[in-house]
Amino acid sequence: MDAPPDIPPLMPSCISHDRSKLFIVFNVRSGRGRAQAVRAAIARVCAEHGRDYQLFEIGRTGRLGTQIRQAVDAARAASGIVVAAGGDGTINAVAQVVMGSGCAMGLLPQGTFNYFSRTHAIPTDTEEALALLLRARPVPVQAGLVNERVFLVNASLGLYARVLEEREVYKSRYGRSRWVALWAALATAMRRHPGWDLRMQWRGEERVVRTPTLFVGNNALQLEQVGMPRPEAVEQGELTAIALKPVGRLAMFMLMVHGALSRLGEADEVMHASFRAMSVSPARPGRRRAKVATDGEVQRMAMPLHFRVAPEPLWLIKPEPGEYGDARR
């Protein structure tokens, strides 16, 4: 999902080169308890290539913002590279600070689904990802904004945000794996949820919809996997909104089956649209704030919600096309 051509490709001042120091923000809680192995891999590969690095380890969520700002400030001062080692949530938090800083960003994927890194063909193996990081160059890629909050994969409210919020409870009890995440999603979706009455405005159009969830995607791989039409829209400078019509438990289960079979876009209960900017406000008075999930992290935001393609790209260090085969696996 490279940045659309109308975004000026201004190279960041903290540009990647053969001797750039790495400033690595490492979420030790990501993945499956492999923190020591990741530390060892970073030390080994950097030593082999004679590359200097500094590790900013995060064990508690409350310190995430402080550590990221320290890493970005240090990278700017040294003309270095900011590296996010974690899942989509950690990557999102790092990108939030890196965008507009003049620094390039690298990834060492450690999460459960790794949609953003997989889209850009970045290996999940730490040593392979680090070896790529040490030789590749920054490329501008598209980011989305909701009320000026960055999202790289998706942003949502309603049922999907609730699923992500409750998924963390299941993971804390049963471990961090795709099966636990999928079971948590099923258990949450099968309960009754209040609907939202939303007024959506984009491209001069206005539509009032009642929906249990609104999902805005910025990731072609995720949209393709659930079977939405035109997943390539996000690679052409747009975002994709998906809203479900109000349905009962059985119909909700069937929608999940459609998604698992990559056929969600065929369901009559699914509404969708592509856009560069969209405003979403309550159709009825009373709702002033909403829980919004951005790349899996949930926070409260004031309504109306303004979704748009970010006017500047994220400069991501990624492989050349075809270097690691098909990223959409």
Side-chain angles (χ1 to χ4, degrees):
M1 184 172 47
D2 295 347
D6 59 331
I7 294 179
L10 299 176
M11 198 69 84
S13 57
C14 301
I15 189 63
S16 166
H17 56 78
D18 291 345
R19 307 307 302 172
S20 296
K21 183 175 179 178
L22 307 182
F23 296 85
I24 304 172
V25 179
F26 177 29
N27 186 347
V28 298
R29 301 191 309 155
S30 296
R32 303 182 182 180
R34 298 178 56 250
Q36 189 55 44
V38 172
R39 290 189 198 97
I42 292 171
R44 182 167 54 253
V45 175
C46 286
E48 289 174 356
H49 289 79
R51 184 66 67 91
D52 195 12
Y53 73 95
Q54 183 176 347
L55 207 57
F56 296 78
E57 291 197 8
I58 299 158
R60 292 182 290 110
T61 306
R63 298 192 62 204
L64 185 61
T66 300
Q67 293 284 72
I68 293 171
R69 285 189 292 273
Q70 290 176 354
V72 173
D73 288 344
R76 291 180 67 181
S79 295
I81 300 167
V82 182
V83 181
D88 285 328
T90 302
I91 292 168
N92 172 282
V94 174
Q96 186 79 32
V97 183
V98 169
M99 284 187 64
S101 71
C103 292
M105 180 171 163
L107 304 180
L108 300 178
Q110 306 293 319
T112 303
F113 291 98
N114 298 313
Y115 275 118
F116 185 65
S117 58
R118 288 164 59 203
T119 292
H120 295 289
I122 296 172
T124 56
D125 178 83
T126 300
E127 292 196 18
E128 289 185 18
L130 194 52
L132 163 71
L133 178 60
L134 296 179
R135 69 173 184 273
R137 307 292 290 178
V139 174
V141 302
Q142 176 177 296
L145 297 174
V146 52
N147 288 13
E148 303 311 301
R149 173 80 188 182
V150 170
F151 62 96
L152 302 175
V153 180
N154 60 60
S156 62
L157 74 154
L159 174 58
Y160 192 82
R162 176 67 61 84
V163 165
L164 295 174
E165 192 173 36
E166 296 189 2
R167 185 178 71 184
E168 294 306 307
V169 177
Y170 281 80
K171 286 184 175 181
S172 66
R173 293 178 182 174
Y174 306 112
R176 309 183 75 84
S177 73
R178 292 194 182 191
W179 288 111
V180 171
L182 293 172
W183 174 252
L186 179 61
T188 304
M190 288 300 98
R191 298 201 298 269
R192 290 192 178 277
H193 298 274
W196 287 75
D197 294 298
L198 300 175
R199 187 180 308 278
M200 303 167 59
Q201 298 172 304
W202 75 99
R203 289 180 175 170
E205 296 185 40
E206 180 176 302
R207 183 180 301 181
V208 175
V209 301
R210 182 167 181 79
T211 179
T213 191
L214 173 66
F215 174 99
V216 177
N218 184 45
N219 185 275
L221 172 61
Q222 189 178 50
L223 293 170
E224 182 181 287
Q225 284 189 342
V226 298
M228 293 305 300
R230 293 192 66 240
E232 69 279 2
V234 298
E235 296 176 332
Q236 299 169 354
E238 295 186 319
L239 304 171
T240 295
I242 303 170
L244 305 182
K245 297 177 182 178
V247 296
R249 288 190 180 94
L250 179 59
M252 179 63 73
F253 178 77
M254 293 307 300
L255 285 174
M256 295 182 74
V257 171
H258 273 76
L261 296 175
S262 300
R263 297 171 56 186
L264 186 63
E266 300 176 9
D268 294 335
E269 297 86 356
V270 177
M271 302 171 284
H272 55 87
S274 296
F275 61 92
R276 286 190 60 84
M278 171 184 281
S279 176
V280 176
S281 58
R284 298 179 182 180
R287 290 197 187 257
R288 297 183 178 180
R289 299 180 69 83
K291 283 186 177 181
V292 179
T294 52
D295 296 344
E297 303 300 312
V298 181
Q299 56 271 308
R300 287 189 176 275
M301 292 188 180
M303 298 189 80
L305 302 176
H306 298 288
F307 296 90
R308 65 186 179 118
V309 175
E312 63 179 284
L314 173 70
W315 286 87
L316 180 69
I317 298 175
K318 56 179 288 187
E320 295 293 330
E323 183 175 352
Y324 280 97
D326 186 3
R328 301 171 187 265
R329 290 184 296 175

